[in-house]
Amino acid sequence: MLQIKLPARVLEDYFVASSVAEAVSYLDAQQGEGRVVAGGTELMPALQRGELRAHHLVDISQIASLRKVFVSAEEIVLGGAVPLNRVVNHGELAARCALLSEAAGAIGTPRLRRLATVGGNLASGQGNSDVALALLTLDAEVEVAGYIGAQWLPVRALAMGGGQSRLDATREVLTAVRFRPLGEGQGAAIVRLEADDAPARAPLVGVALVSLQPPTDGTEWPVVQWASLGLGLAQSGPQRLSTLEEALVGAPWPAARGVLADGIRDVLLALAAEHPAHQRLDEAVTLLAACWDIACQRAIAAMPSGASHDA
């Protein structure tokens, strides 16, 4: 378990909720002085450093409904308190969406992944969180419960980056995440530009998700039907590269690689000169282009039998 000592009088009460309604009611009673905790891998160190203030914590990690995993051909739903090690080791989830399993496996150590949760990664607001970026690229939605009820919101509505999230952890509970699994002709990949001073967070994380159409009318290569590109940078929010996504549609996938590399270079050149992704520009562009190649190869492998013979 997480071993962190908090200064005297920082924490007055630690409440373990047995239901979402109980957790929300407790938070409401504290009038902004309480805060949700699940794994605590982000929150507890921040409290110790004095970056956050919370005299009352409500632990949601034991709420059964928040630890459920549902996987079908049409939808995947994860409870907000599902630990990352379960995402990594869930065979059916990996078969339907290997991207999320890969993303979870890239975070920390096995010990940390036993504590860290899906909801915690989203609520942290870190732009270079692998899990949050993967879910953003998958067009995932989150269910947020508060005193006036629950609502589903797109993941992109939460992200602010820099350790900031629009989720109010003093009044709301992130209860679930849902998204569609990958289908035929679809592939995804995730890459990280490792920090020079490991084990620090990667200064850049990239995700590519692509749907390819089989070759038609004698064309040699599968064509990009649609693409979803996520870029996560330190000190900023996770982002979708929507303009670049649109530019890739309709291009044969090898030709789309050049379009992507040029677009990524422009994005990274716009960063502050001291940002590691700017300083290591060529390495970052090559890495993200390789991410695209891997996603396309996986999409080709996921095409119906015989559809991709020319590729």
Side-chain angles (χ1 to χ4, degrees), residues 35 86 91 98 116-117 125 139 165-166 225 233 244 267 294 301:
R35 185 172 285 268
R86 191 171 178 207
T117 62
D139 283 325
S165 170
R166 290 186 175 87
Q225 184 178 28
L233 299 166
L244 186 52
V267 171
I294 295 169

Side-chain angles (χ1 to χ4, degrees), residues 10-16 26 30 34-35 54-58:
V10 167
L11 184 62
E12 297 175 12
D13 186 30
Y14 190 95
F15 177 73
V16 180
Y26 176 86
Q30 304 311 318
R35 185 172 285 268
H55 294 293
H56 309 271
L57 296 182
V58 53

Side-chain angles (χ1 to χ4, degrees), residues 15-24 26 58-64:
F15 177 73
V16 180
S18 60
S19 70
V20 173
E22 194 173 68
V24 170
Y26 176 86
V58 53
D59 187 337
I60 62 171
S61 65
Q62 302 307 307
I63 301 175

Side-chain angles (χ1 to χ4, degrees), residues 265-283:
R265 184 175 287 104
D266 290 342
V267 171
L268 299 184
L269 280 171
L271 297 175
E274 62 271 17
H275 195 288
H278 188 130
Q279 295 178 343
R280 299 162 62 184
L281 179 64
D282 290 340
E283 182 184 356

Side-chain angles (χ1 to χ4, degrees), residues 5-79:
K5 295 181 180 179
L6 297 178
R9 298 186 180 179
V10 167
L11 184 62
E12 297 175 12
D13 186 30
Y14 190 95
F15 177 73
V16 180
S18 60
S19 70
V20 173
E22 194 173 68
V24 170
S25 179
Y26 176 86
L27 289 171
D28 186 65
Q30 304 311 318
Q31 298 182 339
E33 293 291 323
R35 185 172 285 268
V36 169
V37 61
T41 56
E42 295 280 354
L43 174 64
M44 302 304 277
L47 289 174
Q48 185 185 44
R49 295 190 298 263
E51 297 170 358
L52 291 175
R53 174 172 171 260
H55 294 293
H56 309 271
L57 296 182
V58 53
D59 187 337
I60 62 171
S61 65
Q62 302 307 307
I63 301 175
S65 62
L66 302 192
R67 299 179 66 87
K68 291 182 178 179
V69 177
F70 171 79
V71 180
S72 73
E74 292 76 32
E75 187 178 55
I76 295 174
V77 183
L78 306 176

Side-chain angles (χ1 to χ4, degrees), residues 205-259:
V205 181
V207 175
L209 175 58
V210 61
S211 179
L212 297 178
Q213 294 177 319
T216 58
D217 301 327
T219 56
E220 183 178 1
W221 303 103
V223 172
V224 178
Q225 184 178 28
W226 57 261
S228 179
L229 305 173
L231 185 65
L233 299 166
Q235 289 89 50
S236 65
Q239 57 183 299
R240 285 280 295 275
L241 305 179
S242 302
T243 300
L244 186 52
E245 292 171 0
E246 295 172 3
L248 297 173
V249 175
W253 75 266
R257 186 184 195 275
V259 176

